[in-house]
Amino acid sequence: MREFSASVEPVLANIVRIAAEAVRAPMAMLTLVEAERVRVVVRHNIGVTQLSRAASPCARIVGDRAPLQIPDLLEDPRYAVGPLTAVEQGARSYAGVPLLDTTGNVVGALSVLDRKPGALGPERAQLLGLLADQATAILTLGSAVEQSASEAAALGRFGSDFISLITHEVRTPVAVITGNLELLDELDDIPEQYRERMVSAIRRNADRLVRLIDHLLVTARAGDALKATVHRSPIDLSALVNDAVRTAGARAKQAGVAVDVRVEQSVRVPGDGTMLRTAVDNLLSNALLFTPAGGRIGVRVSSGDAADLRDAAMVTITDTGVGIPADEVPRVFDRFYRGEHAQRVEAPGAGLGLAVTEAIAAAHGGLVRLESAPGSGTTVRLLLPLAAAQPAPVLELVRNS
């Protein structure tokens, strides 16, 4: 990861700039540690392009494999005299978070610097960590794209759209988080119900950042690389789907969409529970996103033979939403693809949900099938190989309206 695809450099530049804005620091940089130096690969309002290992806090982050804050650089003899504190930069405080390569090794840092001493509070330090995770995911994606000529060509064709999309998907939740943090910082007498609402918005948007990180990493590791990361254990798919629907219940109620759920009891599959939950959440999220108020979503979990897979567990999600034009259906599983309707209404999302779900299904030996037509809604089936033994099915009906 010491070199990365030039196509993702503008995305990293936006993340670095957003990091500075998010923690209210005037300077930020993304650095990678090399044998003899620390290279500044992306920078915001800072003139340094490289540092010696001794003069760079980033080298300590790599060595300690941990975040680092230096409230006053002038009080640390290692950095009191050096390029960061020189007149041109005038840095007094530093905060940095590790960046990882595809094997989990710490190779660099996302850092912010201020011209006055001080430390980041725990909330902003956590936000900087989330943005560092975003940068790690983008670096991993760039590495994967560099290895695939077809992916590199595809990314090149819509490079500016990719940059805008990822920047928007990062900037929007960060703006909500920082806005609420600033209100919590500045107002002492916020009524408890409003304070809880602000904290809830921070958590919700932090979760959105985490989902984007997960999606980017799954996208970068699709195929054999993703299959190798699957931690298999017996998964109760019925319980997993029921829990996913319960979690989505508040959003469905707010959107005015009814959700009907029918599951066979204890349909079990061998798989990675975290990945499978991501796949189901993606399908539910898409259905909710494109089903207008008054519409319905049906969720079914069943087992048996499917046309494409014998002895399969099937999660079927059917909505009464806007549907997908026939010429767009073949492309909906492409990475970063967003249909005309999604672009027109500026629907949130990076165009990764279905691509990630398909990659997860393939890593489990399964498939995803989609049928849709404009005005007639969409049906998506997630097919997974069943575990060896299945109990006799007992139908349970749960109805949310």
Side-chain angles (χ1 to χ4, degrees):
M1 195 188 287
R2 303 306 167 93
E3 299 295 336
F4 55 87
S5 171
S7 57
V8 301
E9 186 170 351
V11 185
L12 293 171
N14 281 322
I15 291 175
V16 169
R17 185 175 68 253
I18 291 168
E21 295 170 356
V23 303
R24 295 185 290 190
M27 297 174 282
M29 58 184 177
L30 188 151
T31 50
L32 297 179
V33 172
E34 299 179 342
E36 303 296 333
R37 62 173 181 166
V38 173
R39 182 162 55 102
V40 181
V41 293
V42 181
R43 54 200 170 109
H44 175 69
N45 287 339
I46 190 166
V48 175
T49 57
Q50 67 178 25
L51 298 159
S52 69
R53 291 177 67 105
S56 173
C58 175
R60 285 173 61 190
I61 291 173
V62 172
D64 296 341
R65 298 182 58 85
L68 173 67
Q69 292 205 46
I70 305 174
D72 194 340
L73 289 164
L74 296 184
E75 293 184 355
D76 191 319
R78 289 168 288 192
Y79 314 113
V81 178
L84 296 180
T85 55
V87 173
E88 294 83 357
Q89 316 306 329
R92 287 291 301 275
S93 60
Y94 172 94
V97 181
L99 298 174
L100 309 180
D101 66 10
T102 54
T103 62
N105 293 317
V106 179
V107 294
L110 175 65
S111 310
V112 293
L113 302 98
D114 206 335
R115 295 187 176 92
K116 58 181 184 291
L120 299 181
E123 295 86 0
R124 287 189 171 82
Q126 183 180 17
L127 181 54
L128 183 62
L130 284 172
L131 290 168
D133 289 343
Q134 296 282 358
T136 290
I138 292 294
L139 284 166
T140 303
L141 179 62
S143 178
V145 166
E146 195 72 15
Q147 295 171 21
S148 168
S150 60
E151 289 290 345
L155 196 55
R157 283 196 299 272
F158 60 84
S160 61
D161 291 340
F162 169 76
I163 294 162
S164 299
L165 192 59
I166 297 299
T167 301
H168 177 268
E169 286 301 301
V170 174
R171 183 179 293 281
T172 300
V174 168
V176 174
I177 292 170
T178 53
N180 281 283
L181 283 175
E182 287 170 5
L183 286 173
L184 289 170
D185 286 346
E186 295 168 3
L187 302 176
D188 297 324
D189 56 347
I190 304 173
E192 188 58 35
Q193 66 267 30
Y194 295 117
R195 182 178 295 275
E196 180 56 36
R197 192 177 301 171
M198 291 176 187
V199 171
S200 177
I202 291 170
R203 289 180 185 141
R204 186 172 61 252
N205 283 276
D207 288 345
R208 179 174 171 182
L209 284 174
V210 170
R211 284 197 303 274
L212 180 58
I213 294 165
D214 291 342
H215 282 184
L216 288 168
L217 289 174
V218 169
T219 299
R221 296 170 181 163
D224 291 341
L226 180 62
K227 189 174 182 178
T229 68
V230 174
H231 301 290
R232 295 184 184 275
S233 62
I235 301 298
D236 187 336
L237 191 62
S238 304
L240 183 149
V241 170
N242 267 328
D243 188 63
V245 172
R246 277 192 293 269
T247 301
R251 182 180 170 193
K253 184 175 181 180
Q254 185 178 19
V257 175
V259 182
D260 299 326
V261 186
R262 184 183 293 270
V263 302
E264 287 183 17
Q265 287 297 295
S266 297
V267 174
R268 305 186 74 83
V269 297
D272 187 309
T274 300
M275 285 190 187
L276 293 177
R277 177 59 185 267
T278 295
V280 173
D281 284 344
N282 287 346
L283 298 181
L284 281 171
S285 180
N286 271 2
L288 284 168
L289 189 61
F290 297 110
T291 301
R296 305 190 74 83
I297 296 172
V299 181
R300 304 287 182 265
V301 180
S302 57
S303 59
D305 290 340
D308 300 305
L309 186 67
R310 295 190 61 187
D311 296 326
M314 291 170 278
V315 180
T316 304
I317 298 180
T318 302
D319 65 57
T320 60
V322 296
I324 304 168
D327 61 332
E328 292 186 5
V329 170
R331 300 187 61 194
V332 295
F333 292 102
D334 292 350
R335 299 197 283 187
F336 307 108
Y337 179 74
R338 285 160 57 84
E340 183 179 338
H341 177 79
Q343 295 181 56
R344 185 170 62 252
V345 302
E346 297 184 346
L352 287 171
L354 286 174
V356 164
T357 297
E358 184 179 51
I360 290 171
H364 285 77
L367 304 158
V368 182
R369 292 292 179 256
L370 181 144
E371 301 167 5
S372 187
S376 300
T378 299
T379 296
V380 185
R381 291 182 178 86
L382 172 62
L383 308 175
L384 300 165
L386 281 168
Q390 288 290 311
V394 179
L395 291 181
E396 174 193 4
L397 179 65
V398 180
R399 184 176 296 274
N400 300 319
S401 59

